[in-house]
């Protein structure tokens, strides 16, 4: 490895968060401009600021590019089968209630193949923190349309544009009983980190949707060929509206350049987490 | 408030060049345009961020380049130097 030394920069080989990463696996496999790395970074920072010993944090992922998260963090972590991050995680959470169990997985993993687990884990208010990385498609397998793909979005399985209505994930999470619900983007790193910290300290089923660029699979056919293009779209179109009054206003129409994307912390209620009254 | 005596935080930028994939997030979102691309590349052929000429004292230690980086390839540390002197 030969890195020429530039005069005007301090070149180093370790990041302050490296102790909580499997740094020997870096650079990671995620594409240039992919937002998943920023989610992993934010989660690791939240662990550092949580005041909870990293030994008590557990990370569970399913399958997909987002599902790689569990493989890059240096806490106890599990890479479950596709759609099964939640059943695996709730087993841990119920058996070891002193652990802080966070699921990091994709829109497809959590809400398509894993959708049934999602609704029932929330309904029962299991003490879990769920970070759903919504990149609007099945990134890993080539960008197929999934349940969060916007209407009109092009993909290999919808070459003329998606005809289906997408899920509004925070609306869904609220309807099925989540105790905490938020939506941020990887551009809103500070607010996103605060939401993750809130989930870590809060009992019950906590959910954050984080919008993230997938330039390779979703971006290319939809005019976001670079991660930065989608970040600029977030910057132009996101409005922060904490405690939004109508969850249906959280609909995302990414194809309409004038459509506002509402982000914020929307729900934070006490509902009695699973097993609390046992 | 005596602005001439106000302490503006000042940061130093550190880069792990081999991790950079040239996504441009740090360069685009630095609020004071401290960063530009290196002339050299890392072993994967990516240009990585360096401090632009004349911007050596400009970092305000907001940490945004660090927080936003998907590769954990850049971070800042607070410098003890008093920016209002320079
Ligand atoms: C049982 C099963 N069905 C299908 C697949 C193929 N598969 C792998 S990842 C994936 C989709 C992942 O999408 P998402 O969760 O949104 O993650 P992303 O890659 O977009 O981050 C699919 C369908 C699989 N691995 N296992
Ligand atoms: S295919 Fe998409 S989601 Fe997967 S690593 Fe590349 S940019 Fe990220
Ligand atoms: Mg996805």
């Amino acid at each position: 490895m030969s890195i020429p030394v530039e005069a005007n920069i301090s070149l180093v080989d370790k990041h302050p968060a490296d102790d909580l990463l499997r740094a020997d696996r870096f650079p990671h496999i995620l594409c240039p401009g992919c937002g998943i790395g920023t989610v992993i970074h934010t989660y690791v920072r939240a662990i550092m600021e949580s005041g909870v010993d990293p030994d008590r944090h557990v990370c569970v992922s399913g399958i997909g590019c987002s599902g790689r998260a569990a493989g890059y963090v240096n806490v106890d972590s599990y890479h479950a089968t596709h759609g099964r991050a939640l059943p695996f995680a709730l087993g841990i959470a119920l058996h070891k209630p002193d652990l802080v169990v966070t699921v990091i997985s994709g829109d497809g993993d959590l809400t398509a193949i894993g959708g049934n687990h999602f609704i029932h884990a929330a309904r029962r208010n299991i003490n879990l923190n769920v970070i759903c990385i919504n990149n609007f498609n099945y990134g890993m397998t080539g960008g197929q349309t999934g349940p969060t793909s916007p209407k009109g979005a092009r993909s290999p399985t919808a070459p003329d544009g998606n005809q289906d209505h997408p899920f509004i994930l925070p609306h869904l999470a609220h309807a099925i009983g989540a105790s905490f619900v938020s939506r941020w983007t990887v551009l809103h790193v500070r607010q996103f980190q605060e939401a993750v910290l809130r989930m870590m300290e809060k009992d019950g089923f906590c959910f954050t949707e984080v919008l993230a660029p997938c330039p390779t699979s979703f971006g290319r056919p939809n005019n976001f060929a670079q991660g930065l293009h989608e970040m600029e779209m977030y910057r132009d179109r996101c409005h922060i509206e904490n405690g939004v009054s109508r969850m249906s206003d959280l609909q995302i129409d990414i194809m309409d350049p004038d459509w506002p994307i509402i982000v914020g912390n929307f729900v934070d209620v006490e509902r009695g987490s699973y097993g609390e009254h046992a | 408030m005596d602005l001439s005596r106000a302490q503006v935080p000042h940061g130093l930028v550190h880069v792990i060049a081999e991790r950079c994939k040239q996504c441009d997030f740090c360069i685009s979102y630095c609020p004071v345009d401290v960063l530009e691309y290196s002339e050299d590349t890392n072993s994967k052929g990516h240009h990585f961020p360096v401090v632009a000429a004349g911007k050596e004292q400009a970092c305000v230690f907001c940490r945004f380049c660090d927080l936003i980086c998907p590769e954990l390839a850049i971070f800042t540390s607070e410098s003890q130097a008093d920016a209002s002197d320079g």
Side-chain angles (χ1 to χ4, degrees), chain A residues 4-168:
Chain A
V5 178
E6 306 250 347
N8 48 346
I9 191 75
S10 148
L11 289 174
V12 293
D13 55 14
K14 198 172 170 349
H15 187 280
D18 273 11
D19 288 346
L20 283 171
L21 295 170
R22 300 188 194 242
D24 55 323
R25 297 186 183 174
F26 276 64
H28 54 55
I29 58 149
L30 305 166
C31 304
C34 175
I36 296 169
T38 304
V39 177
I40 296 171
H41 188 171
T42 305
Y43 169 63
V44 158
R45 240 182 14 254
I47 291 177
M48 294 197 283
E49 292 184 20
S50 66
V52 174
D53 190 321
D55 284 349
R56 283 180 48 219
H57 280 278
V58 180
C59 181
V60 184
S61 296
I63 301 297
C65 298
S66 304
R68 291 280 172 158
Y72 286 118
V73 293
N74 191 21
V75 294
D76 283 342
S77 59
Y78 299 88
H79 196 186
T81 49
H82 198 20
R84 274 56 182 171
L86 279 170
F88 205 90
L90 75 84
I92 301 168
L94 295 183
H95 185 61
K96 297 249 181 185
D98 54 320
L99 299 180
V100 180
V101 184
T102 303
V103 171
I104 306 180
S105 214
D107 48 272
D109 186 77
L110 284 166
T111 70
I113 189 170
N116 216 26
H117 298 297
F118 181 62
I119 59 177
H120 294 292
R123 175 178 62 83
R124 296 193 285 169
N125 206 23
I126 312 281
N127 188 19
L128 290 172
N129 315 316
V130 178
I131 299 172
C132 179
I133 304 177
N134 182 5
N135 53 17
F136 305 110
N137 79 141
Y138 301 157
M140 175 167 272
T141 46
Q144 295 84 352
T145 292
T148 62
S149 300
K151 260 196 145 186
R154 286 178 210 285
S155 82
T157 52
D160 297 324
N162 178 31
Q163 300 297 311
D164 296 336
H165 295 278
F167 273 147
I168 306 172

Side-chain angles (χ1 to χ4, degrees), chain A residues 1 4 6 8 10-12 14-16 18 21 27-28 30 32 37-38 41 45 186 189-190 228 231-232, chain B residues 13-16 18-19 21 23-24 28-29 38-40 51 62 64 66-72 74-75:
Chain A
M1 186 177 95
E6 306 250 347
N8 48 346
S10 148
L11 289 174
V12 293
K14 198 172 170 349
H15 187 280
D18 273 11
L21 295 170
H28 54 55
L30 305 166
T38 304
H41 188 171
R45 240 182 14 254
V186 293
V189 263
R190 293 181 203 272
L228 190 67
M231 296 290 257
E232 287 294 280
Chain B
V13 184
H14 311 275
V15 170
I16 306 163
E18 270 305 292
R19 289 188 186 174
K21 294 180 189 155
C23 71
D24 212 71
S28 290
Y29 293 118
S38 62
E39 292 197 359
D40 303 306
V51 174
C62 73
F64 201 73
D66 177 11
L67 308 185
I68 200 87
C69 179
E71 314 297 329
L72 292 100
I74 186 168
F75 62 96

Side-chain angles (χ1 to χ4, degrees), chain A residues 161-215:
Chain A
N162 178 31
Q163 300 297 311
D164 296 336
H165 295 278
F167 273 147
I168 306 172
L169 291 182
H171 194 2
L172 174 65
H174 176 50
I176 58 185
S179 295
F180 177 88
V181 179
S182 74
R183 170 196 281 159
W184 295 103
T185 80
V186 293
L187 184 64
H188 296 82
V189 263
R190 293 181 203 272
Q191 296 98 326
F192 172 44
Q193 183 186 332
E194 286 307 309
V196 175
L197 277 166
R198 177 71 187 129
M199 296 203 294
M200 286 174 172
E201 72 180 12
K202 190 175 167 70
D203 277 346
F205 191 90
C206 297
F207 177 77
T208 291
E209 172 187 36
V210 58
L211 307 183
C214 165

